[in-house]
Amino acid sequence: MPGSLVLADVVLCALLALAAPSLTPIHRAGYCAFYGECGSNPEVNVSLVPSKVPCLSNTPAREATGVLLTMLRSVCPELVREDNTTRVCCNLGQLTALQLSVALSGTVLSRCPACARNFANLYCNNICSPDQSLFTNVTRVVDYTSAAGMAQQAVVEYQCFYQQDFADGSFTSCRDVRLPATGGYAIDTMCGRYGAQLCTTQRWLDFQGDKNNGLAPLQINFQLVPNGTRPGSDIVPLGGQAWRCDQALSDQEQPCSCQDCTDSCPAVIAPTDPPPPFRLGNADGALVLCGLLFGLLALIFIISLMCQRRRSKKDAVPQPAPKRATGCSACLRDVSHSGLARAFRWWGTLVARHPVVVLVVAAVLAGLLSAGLVTLQLTTDPVELWSAPGSRARQEKAFHDEHFGPFLRTNQVIVTAPGRPSSSYESVVLGAKNFSGVLSEDVLQALLELQEQLAAIRVQIPASGKVVTLSDVCYAPLNPTEPGLGDCCVNSVTQYFQNNSTHLAMTAMQVDGKVTGTVDWHDHLIYCVNSPLSFKDITALELSCMAEYGGPVFPYIAFGGYSDSEYTEAEALIVTYSLNNFPQDDLRHEWVLSWEQRFLEVVRDFQRTHSPNLSITFMAERSLEDEINRTTAQDIPIFTVSYLVVFIYIALALGEYTAWRRILVESKVTLALGGIAVVLGAVFASMGFLALLGLPSSLIILEVVPFLVLAVGADNIFIFVQEYQQSQREPGETREQHIGRVLAQVAPSMLLCSLSEVICFLLGALSSMPAVRTFALTAAVAIAFDFLLQMSGFVALLALDARRQEAARFDLCCCCGMEASGPTGPGARLLRPLLHRYYTPVLLHRLARPVVVLLFLFLACAGLYLLLHVPVGLDQELAMPKDSYMLQYFAALNQYLAVGVPTYFVTTSGYNFSSTDGTNGICSSAGCANNSLTHTIQYATRFPNVSYLAIPATSWVDDFLDWLNPTGRCCRIHQFGNLTGEFCPSTSSDLSCLGGQCLNVSRRPTVEEFERFLPWFLYDRPTLQCAKGGLGAYDTAVSMDANGTILASRFMAYQRPLRTSQEYTAALQAARDLAEEITTHLRRVPGTHPDFKVFPYTVTYVYYEQYLTVVAEGLITLVLCLVPTFGVSFLLLGMDLRSSAATLITIAMILVDTVGAMALWDVPYNAVALINLVAAVGISVEFVSHITCAFAHSTKPSQVERAAEATVNMGSKVVAGVAMTNLPGIVVLAFAKAQLIQIFFFRLNLIITLVGLAHGLVFLPVLLSYIGPSLRVPAGDTAKDTRGDTARDTGGDTARDTVGDMEGNTKGDMVTGMEQGAGLVLSNPYFKDNATVPGQG
């Protein structure tokens, strides 16, 4: 320690030796080093304030009296002695200049009284202290001749000696003082190139004494003397006790607030970290639980199976004939089944007898309803699609837009220079710095050229002939009424040069001590990125850092891809144009869209020109919607091809061919096209009907509903047509009666599925999401119309086609034909024989069935585990086609963006800002509440990983209080003249403003003062004399009525960069939690209305709010869809609890496995996925309910045989009608350009179809074979005639089938016969079942 002090003494003595001792020969208490004013400093060319310098005067201090003493009490109260012997080393002119300097700094520092006092004390002592010579040593003077002709010496440089602890204390008290308008630190503007992050006491003082900073009138070299050290030559360093920031200056004043003084902060409890992933030991807890669940279910199943087998062996006796059905449920089943059969038989016969009339009536009704499409409104606005009008985000958005206008429109260009090497620059003044490849003069010149081209854009509006320029649509914060091009808010690195190529090319000779060199744009840029609020740099260039429009350019907005505030090493340059946003019914909305279109064209040309050297990504506010519309138009052919493939399949697959020569007769192309027309008619009629009711539609409805209705409709078509083809006409039965009988056999199953789906979708329409609600309503009405049209129009079409085929007329050309012949027998079939001979015997084998159950239980538990890992949300990149320029922009944004979007904390009406308690509940300066709005937000920014906030909120209340501070010249009132009582701007030198401060002392304004002065503040343009003016920063932050009552206000913070929809959603929730905490505090302020609240708002919240509730809403919606599926099945199957439960279990497992597969195939869960999952319930009903219904109505003696019969009879039709109808169309969608279509329509629909097919054709038959109800012969039947009536009850001659006992017989043929009519479902003339089957003609 002694060695260090000795070294310090040596250094200080060396400094004194270098100085000219003769300039300050006397270092004694009561003596001055200089006194009075000797004109302007000839060495300062550009100064923002008058650069008056003192006269050399190593003489005794003068006594302060009169006006000088009065002003001294106001400016430098510490120098005033109470014994009336106050002496000073400054005259009235010097003290007046000092007052101006203190006022300038006080505007920024007065929010922390200790800092403001310490800072003022430094300069008070330097200029006016009676002991000035003790710590001052003049080192350089120039000759000066006064106006009276007196020769004097003007001081242009001197040394000032401070004790280290005194200087450190002053610096520490000011280090954390905030600038409410920016969320940054005041020290940023007071430490030059170092900024707040690298500022130290020495650097802070060096900047204050730098004559090139635009404010210092002369050069002051501050020397910090270590404590206990004396520099010698009678110099005594200025010392004393600096005020700590957590100290109150008097009993009437408050210490600095927490936001400006860390030592004043209460203990802030760090928010709890999010709970860690659930684990059991070292294992994934969810995985363990799902594994245990599978083990439990498997154990229950195995034990039940063993008990069943033991019971069956113990009770092995000859099976008695089936019993008569008894009880209410059996009676209800009989009545419902027979009643529906009779009703549909009568209806089918009636339609078949009058097909033309029915067709005309059906076509007319469908056409009339479809005519409503002319009134259809297509919703493309994502807000209208996914956010309910009554949702919280929509209401908050409406409130914000009503009071503050819509969010600004952003147009952005990001420029990088991949492959360009970085370079090192040695600054004469600022030292060595590395510059990235993109920060080179040619790139900056190219950016200037681009901005000149954009500023020159002129677009003519065809409708009005108006020629629109940038100034017509840009956001001009400092001149909003009549903006010019220079007033437009453009944030860019070139704005540090005021977008002026001459400024960029400037060079100057710089002398720094003994070093002389050239300074250029590198030096100016280094300075400005660390001091963006400076009006003048410290180099010989003497350029301002402020943008052309008058505001600062913060480097975290203009640069990207840097680390630790090393902005010159940034990898990206960001140019941002902020444009005004206008309502769609405003003519200016078309102006801004047209300008943005031209903006995109200009930037594309710029991109093509500079593509060899630069990487350029860009976007306009309209880009997202443009790209979505473009890809939608491009993918229309894909959807067209998809539908055509489905149509061709249906047309070819419906036919049943017996011979080559009869292909044209047996073809069903006309009938298939008619069936497709029925489906499309149902879709158009439903959309037209809902359009007439005023319900808008959307693109997703146009894409999903036809697929869904086509799957349902095609399934019914295949079931009806193939049942008719397989059914033989009974003796004496007419064709019309035959059609009626077949309809009676299949229509109950079709009714069961359709009714389940309609009720399912109607309940799904209870969703709060507009797109989900509209889809569900449209799907419900379309399926209902489809069923009605199939029961009328398609039955009529089948009757006409049967008449044509019996007359041996050609399909598609009924005028031609061939010679009629008798019955031709069954046609070629493939799928049904495969199911009958091979598939069901293997599937329902006694060894295979347990394996199937265990396998699907495992899949269900695996799906349950995987669904916990499905990401919730929709990243905006997925909304873009793969060839979109927006994908490159999003990638650059995620890689380089250093700060997130602004987040406003909005206050509603009902809060009294003008009361003292109300003001203190909002502000963050001295005297404000520790739990005030701005303090609470500031606390949250300490934990950005939890709050997602990076920069504290700007506060108009704080700046308003600073603006009112009487030590400054911001708020002044004309005292006399024509403007008496009016506002006097800080730039005015009118004598009527002298002594006209709005407040005489620093205090809170009264209610009347608050309401009077606030409008003045909001429209006061910030200047060097008053940087706290509210115009630009706050004029749109306060909404008042005509009486001056504050209706709403907002406080802007910044989020940290967010990159995924999960982060955006978490940020929304965190902001809402924070706002709720603030609301709770402010409601306790006296006079606050109980309905007052604070809410967060940013432009993204309305899109991401859905993800806060989409999981719960999805679960509720899907459960509501499953309930009617079970209920309708239970009722229409005659209160058959087991069959209905099997249906419910299978569909639930389909949904679980589908969501689990989404995790494996990177399909996120969101509203689009929810729509598809709701549709999946409808498709699953088709896969499941038909087979369940067939099982319930089967009269086979055992459960296994009934499951086999249902699988063969209905499974083949389900495969042909649902799976094979969906799959070709789905596969085509894989070629779509839109990622949304590829993910949510190709991947998800493929998953739904394959999972539904597997469960319906594999798991369900096995499940029914175990838990299906035992056979109960309907009343009136006997065991004797059960087989004889099978054909009548199930619609096929399956009575001649003989199915072996599939649980016990593993040898021999399992099938000894096949009914007449069994054969191929995939009807194709190239496939022929040539096997000779007993019982087949």
Side-chain angles (χ1 to χ4, degrees), residues 209-547:
D210 191 337
K211 67 180 180 181
N212 295 314
N213 66 12
L215 295 172
L218 75 168
Q219 184 70 35
I220 307 173
N221 299 314
F222 289 95
Q223 310 296 328
L224 302 187
V225 180
N227 301 333
T229 301
R230 295 290 297 272
S233 298
D234 298 325
I235 289 180
V236 179
L238 179 64
Q241 186 68 39
W243 292 96
R244 297 196 319 271
C245 62
D246 60 342
Q247 278 183 305
L249 303 185
S250 67
D251 295 337
Q252 290 75 36
E253 297 183 81
Q254 298 288 333
C256 303
S257 70
C258 170
Q259 191 166 21
D260 301 315
C261 175
T262 305
D263 293 337
S264 294
C265 291
V268 179
I269 301 175
T272 56
D273 293 329
F278 173 56
R279 305 190 72 80
L280 291 174
N282 294 325
D284 187 330
L287 181 61
V288 172
L289 291 181
C290 289
L292 293 175
L293 177 63
F294 169 70
L296 178 62
L297 294 175
L299 182 63
I300 292 174
F301 170 71
I302 292 172
I303 292 174
S304 301
L305 191 61
M306 293 173 62
C307 292
Q308 183 183 11
R309 291 188 179 278
R310 181 174 300 178
R311 193 184 311 114
S312 61
K313 289 181 179 179
K314 182 178 180 180
D315 301 335
V317 294
Q319 293 293 326
K323 301 177 181 178
R324 290 184 180 274
T326 58
C328 294
S329 61
C331 180
L332 179 60
R333 179 172 64 244
D334 295 343
V335 170
S336 62
H337 181 59
S338 60
L340 288 174
R342 283 195 299 271
F344 281 116
R345 184 166 190 163
W346 173 82
W347 172 253
T349 304
L350 179 64
V351 172
R353 286 173 180 167
H354 309 285
V356 177
V357 175
V358 174
L359 270 178
V360 170
V361 173
V364 169
L365 290 176
L368 289 175
L369 291 174
S370 300
L373 289 172
V374 298
T375 65
L376 181 67
Q377 297 177 350
L378 202 62
T379 302
T380 57
D381 186 354
V383 175
E384 298 293 336
L385 281 174
W386 307 116
S387 182
S391 68
R392 177 176 172 181
R394 285 287 293 276
Q395 291 177 338
E396 292 171 351
K397 179 182 185 299
F399 183 91
H400 177 274
D401 292 353
E402 176 188 355
H403 291 282
F404 309 109
F407 215 82
L408 294 176
R409 300 176 69 91
T410 300
N411 296 259
Q412 204 164 61
V413 181
I414 301 177
V415 179
T416 58
R420 273 200 177 201
S422 60
S423 60
S424 178
Y425 178 77
E426 188 71 33
S427 172
V428 176
V429 181
L430 307 172
K433 274 287 183 182
N434 290 325
F435 278 72
S436 64
V438 75
L439 271 175
S440 59
E441 187 171 2
D442 62 320
V443 175
L444 297 182
Q445 288 288 0
L447 273 186
L448 275 176
E449 293 173 7
L450 171 63
Q451 292 173 80
E452 289 170 359
Q453 294 175 28
L454 294 174
I457 288 178
R458 296 171 62 85
V459 184
Q460 186 169 12
I461 307 301
S464 61
K466 164 75 176 176
V467 176
V468 176
T469 64
L470 175 60
S471 59
D472 293 316
V473 295
C474 75
Y475 170 61
L478 297 179
N479 189 12
T481 54
E482 296 181 359
L485 287 176
D487 296 317
C488 294
C489 179
V490 180
N491 284 294
S492 167
V493 60
T494 56
Q495 283 282 28
Y496 291 127
F497 306 90
Q498 296 75 50
N499 277 350
N500 189 316
S501 58
T502 303
H503 289 180
L504 180 63
M506 283 179 63
T507 59
M509 293 301 297
Q510 179 81 41
V511 178
D512 187 53
K514 294 184 179 181
V515 180
T516 301
T518 302
V519 291
D520 60 10
W521 66 270
H522 293 87
D523 304 84
H524 181 65
L525 186 64
I526 295 172
Y527 181 84
C528 288
V529 295
N530 289 290
S531 187
L533 295 170
S534 295
F535 287 89
K536 178 178 176 290
D537 67 18
I538 61 173
T539 71
L541 297 173
E542 298 181 337
L543 293 174
S544 171
C545 295
M546 303 298 279

Side-chain angles (χ1 to χ4, degrees), residues 935-948:
H935 268 144
T936 304
I937 297 173
Q938 191 261 338
Y939 298 151
T941 59
R942 299 184 183 181
F943 311 99
N945 290 334
V946 177
S947 69
Y948 295 89

Side-chain angles (χ1 to χ4, degrees), residues 73-94:
R73 292 182 188 277
S74 171
V75 180
C76 303
E78 277 82 357
L79 297 181
V80 178
R81 298 180 61 175
E82 297 304 328
D83 56 2
N84 296 322
T85 58
T86 300
R87 294 183 173 275
V88 292
C89 287
C90 61
N91 62 13
L92 185 61
Q94 287 179 288

Side-chain angles (χ1 to χ4, degrees), residues 108-137:
V108 177
L109 302 178
S110 61
R111 57 183 285 108
C112 178
C115 167
R117 181 68 62 85
N118 287 333
F119 190 78
N121 282 345
L122 294 179
Y123 286 94
C124 285
N125 281 288
N126 286 357
I127 296 171
C128 293
S129 172
D131 302 324
Q132 185 185 69
S133 65
L134 280 178
F135 54 86
T136 302
N137 193 51

Side-chain angles (χ1 to χ4, degrees), residues 1055-1067:
Q1055 293 177 343
R1056 68 176 178 84
L1058 307 177
R1059 292 179 169 82
T1060 66
S1061 57
Q1062 289 79 25
E1063 288 186 341
Y1064 278 105
T1065 306

